[in-house]
Amino acid sequence: MPGEPVERHPGDDPRLAGLETSWVWRRRAVWLTLLFCMGGLFWLMGWGRHDSRLHETIASALALLLGSVVMAYIAGATYDDRSRRQTWAGWEASRLATAAQRRDDQGAAAG
């Protein structure tokens, strides 16, 4: 209703819920892991003189770690966004139901 104060859902502002800080640390961990993997792969390609089975295994493991981190980061962000939208939708539905109940109560008291 016009004139009623607008309530804010705590998830609307990620800084209020402490979510922004966690994502800063997650991004740093992802970037450091990716840089480590790429550094290891570039070192093996440029200076890994011995073409050995060990270097092949290390390169495969670094490439797998790199792909896994990227996929986990994307999936985690998607899940977090979806969860936040569902939380907000539930909160908004309960807020609207409460507002409708107040209007019904006021109408019954006036009538």
Side-chain angles (χ1 to χ4, degrees):
M1 294 204 45
E4 284 187 26
V6 177
E7 296 179 49
R8 288 185 53 95
H9 181 263
D12 288 345
D13 188 359
R15 290 169 293 177
L16 294 177
L19 297 174
E20 188 61 32
T21 304
S22 67
W23 275 103
V24 167
W25 288 106
R26 289 178 202 177
R27 280 191 292 272
R28 285 181 186 165
V30 166
W31 279 110
L32 288 174
T33 304
L34 295 179
L35 287 173
F36 172 77
C37 290
M38 288 186 284
L41 289 171
F42 285 133
W43 185 86
L44 285 172
M45 288 189 306
W47 296 279
R49 297 283 184 237
H50 306 292
D51 189 17
S52 69
R53 190 83 176 131
L54 176 62
H55 286 178
E56 183 181 329
T57 303
I58 291 171
S60 297
L62 287 174
L64 183 63
L65 176 62
L66 190 128
S68 299
V69 166
V70 169
M71 292 306 294
Y73 183 78
I74 291 170
T78 303
Y79 179 78
D80 188 46
D81 290 345
R82 182 175 179 261
S83 175
R84 191 176 298 165
R85 278 194 306 269
Q86 285 179 339
T87 301
W88 184 86
W91 178 84
E92 184 69 12
S94 68
R95 187 182 71 80
L96 291 174
T98 303
Q101 181 65 35
R102 277 192 236 133
R103 282 195 300 271
D104 291 344
D105 290 346
Q106 289 173 354

